[in-house]
């Protein structure tokens, strides 16, 4: 990388903040030597932690925040009362152009609402979406929305498709990513009106989007398409169902592999392979949900993650910044609007 | 069991019908010696298969059906044109009182629609629901709806809660089953109006239902509650996401355990344990989605299952019949209506 980038960090968000956050920055610093951090939080506490690591201290600027968002805060309360919180000040820094993106492991609802209020949605986007990348048998798939919008209409879903496609093309480096809408069956007649209308719009769309059609829950793990579009209610439940199922399968596997001396010996022999397996399905490797559709990069780390997970969320933010994802989404939306205008003029 | 029961079988439904179905009946016969089968299908083909197994032939009565429902049939077409199909005749047999329940591995939408049209919904139930039992870390959980109704209002969800609770009490033998509504968070303010209103009704309900509150996707695998209530869109996607995730995790596990000679040796030593693990998470053990809320027992087997899976679907039907689940649901609904009437009179 030739140019340095700067990311604002909410040091006080997350179950084990600020220790986990600072440890995560130390890991991120090693992988991302071209990134500087603007760290918001309790100056004394955070300063001590950062200054204990000289190499890290060199790329961090600490800004004092007298307040922080609590996990139990209602969204409205956080918006009104937490204007001096580390989360809010970190978002403000992106708005002011001091940083190119923000990462927080704090209260998801508050982060989403604050980011939306401060950074505003892009022209052409009605609602931002929460997106993340899932591993699968073929590689990886980006899925959105994962909970930012519990109810979505057809236009919201179409906008999510545009954003997800740009992300897959630019960040996952896929030349012609396929896009599917999550539904209860593959046939055109399946599902409710929202998904059917969105599919119709995408089928007719002049944008060069490779629209695959409807996909089902099994297609998330199979990797049938590169981008999966869904409403935030279903997406959030699918996301957490994946987590729960992986944990449940892991539980039975562990129980089986400790059930007899012979099984234990086998597990010991297979240990390096099982470690590789664990690595393949490690949720921390995919930590970092992006809010797409805002005038600024905002990444949410899982609140219960560790330093490795947090460093991955930082990497996601750096990727989004370097690959200019927001600029590309804006271009695609402009193109969509222009083509629509031309078509309307021709029809009129 | 002191009394014999009779189950109508659609022998022509399923990817490998009728062979898979007849093989499944042979397995079921061993586990359920008190069950007789009324088998609908191509008399010649099905007759040959059944008569090759003398013990099975003794508990089967074969009825000829000149037609069958195809997997690609639209629901409206199946309803109008497939009145002589094996599926329809098997459902008719329940309506006529010739059998106490029906099992089919055929077209889900057609089975649901036919069963609803022929058997009708119970008084007090607006829409039947598709339910199944999931294994989890604590035991098992029944979840409904899994796809019969893509859009559900609060009253539908409340009725699903009543039916699921009766099922858990009677079939899973849980003395005081807990009921949760699937949502994007546990707090009261989360989710859309439908789930919030349903939760409110259940909280206020005079029925002795142990309502836990909202649960999330992770709670399916964790077994936080005994009954999970959701709309058919979300439920279907959660169900298939579980399937896909289990397959994806299995894929990476297999890849790891065959990645080196050492891993292979370890896997060989752990083979009995791994077989036990596979058994624990085997989807065939939980095959058999029930349609609850109809005046008759109707069980859908997965179309791509094998004889073991089909025999489990038959066992589910036998359980529902023997444990008089429909009678108990009817009683609970009556009680609910009576209490409501008394309350309304008192208020008025």
């Amino acid at each position: 990388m030739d140019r340095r980038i700067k990311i604002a960090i909410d040091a006080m968000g997350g179950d084990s903040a600020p220790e986990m956050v600072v440890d995560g920055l130390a890991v991120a610093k090693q992988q991302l030597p071209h990134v500087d951090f603007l760290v918001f939080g309790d100056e004394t506490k955070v300063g001590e932690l950062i200054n204990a690591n000289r190499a890290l201290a060199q790329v961090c600027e600490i800004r004092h925040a007298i307040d922080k968002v609590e996990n139990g805060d209602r969204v409205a309360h956080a918006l009104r009362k937490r204007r001096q919180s580390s989360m809010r000040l970190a978002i403000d820094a992106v708005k002011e152009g001091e940083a190119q993106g923000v990462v927080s492991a704090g209260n998801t609802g508050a982060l989403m609402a604050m980011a939306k209020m401060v950074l505003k949605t892009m022209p052409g986007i009605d609602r931002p979406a929460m997106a993340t990348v899932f591993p699968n048998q073929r590689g990886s798939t980006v899925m959105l929305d994962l909970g930012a919008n519990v109810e979505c209409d057809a236009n919201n879903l179409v906008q999510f498709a545009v954003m997800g496609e740009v992300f897959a093309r630019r960040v996952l480096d896929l030349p012609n990513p396929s896009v599917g809408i999550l539904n209860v069956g593959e046939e055109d007649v399946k599902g409710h009106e929202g998904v059917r209308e969105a599919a119709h719009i995408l089928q007719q769309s002049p944008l060069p989007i490779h629209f695959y059609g409807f996909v089902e829950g099994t297609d998330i793990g199979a990797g049938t398409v590169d981008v999966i579009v869904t409403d935030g209610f279903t997406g959030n439940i699918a996301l957490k169902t994946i987590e729960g199922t992986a944990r449940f399968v892991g539980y039975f596997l562990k129980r089986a592999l400790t059930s007899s001396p012979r099984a234990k010996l086998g597990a010991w022999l297979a240990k390096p392979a099982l470690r590789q397996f664990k690595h393949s399905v490690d949720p921390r490797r995919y930590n970092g949900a992006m809010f797409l559709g805002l005038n600024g990069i905002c990444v949410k780390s899982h609140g219960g993650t560790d330093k490795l997970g947090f460093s991955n969320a930082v990497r996601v933010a750096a990727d989004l910044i370097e690959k200019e994802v927001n600029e590309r989404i804006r271009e695609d939306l402009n193109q969509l609007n222009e083509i629509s205008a031309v078509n309307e003029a021709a029809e009129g």
Side-chain angles (χ1 to χ4, degrees), chain A:
Chain A
M1 304 301 148
D2 7 291
R3 62 177 185 124
R4 298 196 68 78
I5 60 175
K6 190 174 276 186
I7 299 178
I9 303 290
D10 168 14
M12 311 307 283
D15 301 346
S16 315
E19 290 79 3
M20 177 279 287
V21 173
V22 174
D23 289 348
L25 292 180
V27 175
K29 193 222 157 342
Q30 313 231 321
Q31 300 162 340
L32 307 163
H34 58 295
V35 178
D36 293 315
F37 302 111
L38 197 54
V39 187
F40 293 83
D42 180 312
E43 202 167 22
T44 323
K45 238 177 171 175
V46 175
E48 250 174 47
L49 291 166
I50 288 180
N51 291 322
N53 178 337
R54 231 162 96 184
L56 178 61
Q58 283 178 345
V59 294
C60 288
E61 180 185 333
I62 303 167
R63 297 270 179 94
H64 186 55
I66 54 168
D67 195 14
K68 62 173 182 167
V69 173
E70 300 288 347
N71 271 338
D73 279 351
R74 295 220 168 184
V75 168
H77 177 82
L79 283 180
R80 267 199 316 270
K81 302 288 181 188
R82 303 289 193 191
R83 292 179 201 201
Q84 297 305 318
S85 65
S86 53
M87 182 188 283
R88 174 64 186 268
L89 295 178
I91 298 170
D92 287 346
V94 177
K95 164 83 176 167
E96 303 301 332
E98 287 198 280
Q100 288 130 294
V102 51
V103 178
S104 172
N107 182 324
T108 311
L111 181 64
M112 179 82 223
M114 276 185 184
K116 196 175 162 186
M117 191 179 77
V118 173
L119 302 174
K120 305 269 186 311
T121 50
M122 287 182 185
I125 294 289
D126 297 316
R127 294 177 182 194
M130 211 169 141
T132 203
V133 176
F134 288 101
N136 59 47
Q137 289 178 217
R138 265 185 349 112
S140 48
T141 293
V142 58
M143 185 156 133
L144 69 172
D145 176 28
L146 298 176
N149 312 283
V150 292
E151 281 167 299
C152 295
D153 65 17
N155 284 325
N156 298 142
L157 296 175
V158 170
Q159 292 164 11
F160 298 168
V162 170
M163 298 195 289
E165 202 262 356
V166 170
F167 177 85
R169 200 150 27 87
R170 298 292 299 191
V171 179
L172 303 181
D173 287 322
L174 301 170
N176 185 24
S178 55
V179 178
I181 295 179
L182 197 58
N183 198 354
V184 298
E186 289 181 15
E187 303 85 352
D188 287 354
V189 296
K190 292 275 176 150
H192 52 67
E193 213 192 306
V195 291
R196 289 204 302 263
E197 198 187 323
H200 182 75
I201 297 174
L202 285 171
Q203 267 146 7
Q204 310 287 321
S205 164
L207 269 188
I209 286 185
H210 173 201
F211 180 58
Y212 174 91
F214 290 137
V215 293
E216 301 188 62
T218 42
D219 294 305
I220 306 173
T224 309
V225 291
D226 304 307
V227 181
I228 295 181
V229 170
T230 186
D231 66 274
F233 190 83
T234 313
N236 182 277
I237 285 167
L239 168 74
K240 289 181 180 161
T241 300
I242 291 171
E243 272 181 47
T245 307
R247 218 177 287 155
F248 156 78
V249 173
Y251 166 84
F252 276 109
L253 180 62
K254 196 172 174 183
R255 208 173 69 168
L257 291 178
T258 53
S259 62
S260 73
R262 185 179 157 164
K264 282 180 191 168
L265 180 60
W268 178 77
L269 276 170
K271 206 170 183 180
L274 288 171
R275 204 178 295 132
Q276 178 55 41
F277 159 71
K278 226 174 153 179
H279 180 71
S280 305
V281 298
D282 186 348
R284 292 175 306 171
R285 287 181 57 220
Y286 309 96
N287 184 39
M290 309 151 278
F291 295 139
L292 294 178
L294 295 172
N295 295 308
I297 300 299
C298 180
V299 173
K300 165 74 173 81
S301 164
H302 201 295
T305 195
D306 62 8
K307 60 181 179 179
L308 186 60
F310 194 84
S311 74
N312 272 310
V314 173
R315 191 185 41 71
V316 169
D319 260 7
L320 290 167
I321 294 165
E322 280 158 15
K323 294 181 172 162
E324 300 179 329
V325 167
N326 276 358
E327 289 73 8
R328 296 296 90 71
I329 291 175
R330 243 176 242 123
E331 278 172 18
D332 267 26
L333 288 170
N334 281 341
Q335 204 189 332
L336 182 64
N337 290 339
E338 274 171 32
I339 301 173
S340 304
V342 170
N343 282 353
E344 274 169 31
E347 282 168 16

